[in-house]
Amino acid sequence: MFEDSTFESGGKIKSKSGRWMILTGLINLGILITMILIPLIYPEALPKAMMQTLLVAPPPPPPPPPPPPPPEVIKVVHVQSEMMNNQLTAPTRIPHDIKMVAEKEAPPSSFGVAGAEGLGGSAGGVMGSVFGSGAPKIQAAPPKKVNISAGVATGMLIQKTTPMYPPIAKAARVSGTVVIQATISKQGTIENLHVISGPAMLQQSALDAVKTWRYRPYLLNNEPVEVETTINVIFTLGG
């Protein structure tokens, strides 16, 4: 072995590396040719997933937007007026055919308020009653109760009872005016009495006296009505 390693070129060492290189090259070339020919002879041996990815075509581009519509043409019609200097002029030509326009009869007017036929006019309601032969007579109903002042009520008094001065109020030297709110009925009697103000010792005596007072009926449009008023009862120590 030592001898083989020291003598490089003397013809004594024989190497087979050239043959092995040729044989290895032929084997590699055969493998390469086999790998190239297999896909061409058997295409189903190729990976389908990769082939589908490579063979899928890209999506087409979106279509272009539609063109805008053409602008609307406005046709201007010139109308020639038949008036000149505020005067009607004669037409320049006479038409061959003259059409007669027949107007339909206007329908009867139904203007008015429903249920107003009995107000004195026609069945048209308010318009019929206003423009008809006779206007409706509207009579306002008299109010149920009116308010009058104490002075007016005093002028209507026809029967007055003088109230008794309570002895306890006279002994206590109490005097003054008792104001009473009252209703005068249609017959002139006093109803719904209640005290508004006044000394407490004099209120009951004033109420007892006013209950017996009588008044003339108050007439409104010649009709008697109830009257709401105030009555002043005056108590003085000298009377």
Side-chain angles (χ1 to χ4, degrees):
M1 294 178 62
F2 180 76
E3 184 180 2
D4 293 338
S5 62
T6 54
F7 296 101
E8 295 180 359
S9 58
K12 296 181 178 181
I13 300 174
K14 297 181 180 179
S15 176
K16 301 179 181 180
S17 59
R19 297 177 183 177
W20 284 108
M21 289 180 61
I22 296 172
L23 180 60
T24 304
L26 292 176
I27 292 173
N28 291 334
L29 181 61
I31 294 173
L32 181 62
I33 293 173
T34 303
M35 293 177 63
I36 294 174
L37 293 178
I38 287 176
L40 297 179
I41 298 174
Y42 302 100
E44 61 271 6
L46 295 174
K48 297 182 179 180
M50 186 177 295
M51 294 297 295
Q52 290 178 358
T53 305
L54 297 176
L55 296 178
V56 172
E72 185 180 356
V73 179
I74 301 176
K75 184 178 181 181
V76 180
V77 179
H78 298 279
V79 179
Q80 185 177 2
S81 176
E82 296 182 357
M83 299 293 293
M84 182 178 294
N85 297 329
N86 295 328
Q87 294 183 358
L88 185 64
T89 59
T92 56
R93 59 187 182 84
I94 300 175
H96 297 285
D97 298 332
I98 300 176
K99 297 182 180 180
M100 300 298 293
V101 179
E103 296 183 357
K104 296 182 180 180
E105 185 179 357
S109 175
S110 59
F111 178 79
V113 179
E117 291 84 356
L119 296 180
S122 64
V126 176
M127 295 299 293
S129 63
V130 173
F131 297 101
S133 58
K137 295 181 180 180
I138 301 175
Q139 184 177 2
K144 295 182 179 180
K145 186 182 294 186
V146 295
N147 294 325
I148 61 174
S149 63
V152 176
T154 303
M156 297 168 51
L157 184 62
I158 58 177
Q159 180 182 341
K160 179 179 180 182
T161 302
T162 303
M164 293 182 61
Y165 212 115
I168 187 173
K170 186 178 292 188
R173 308 292 294 175
V174 176
S175 63
T177 302
V178 178
V179 181
I180 299 174
Q181 184 79 24
T183 300
I184 304 175
S185 66
K186 296 180 180 179
Q187 292 76 25
T189 58
I190 296 295
E191 299 176 352
N192 302 328
L193 291 176
H194 65 275
V195 178
I196 298 177
S197 63
M201 293 183 180
L202 305 175
Q203 291 180 4
Q204 188 60 44
S205 179
L207 289 173
D208 294 340
V210 173
K211 287 179 182 179
T212 61
W213 292 7
R214 294 293 180 269
Y215 291 84
R216 292 193 305 271
Y218 187 83
L219 300 179
L220 183 64
N221 296 329
N222 296 326
E223 293 290 336
V225 294
E226 292 185 351
V227 171
E228 193 76 18
T229 186
T230 56
I231 299 174
N232 300 326
V233 183
I234 302 174
F235 289 86
T236 58
L237 292 174

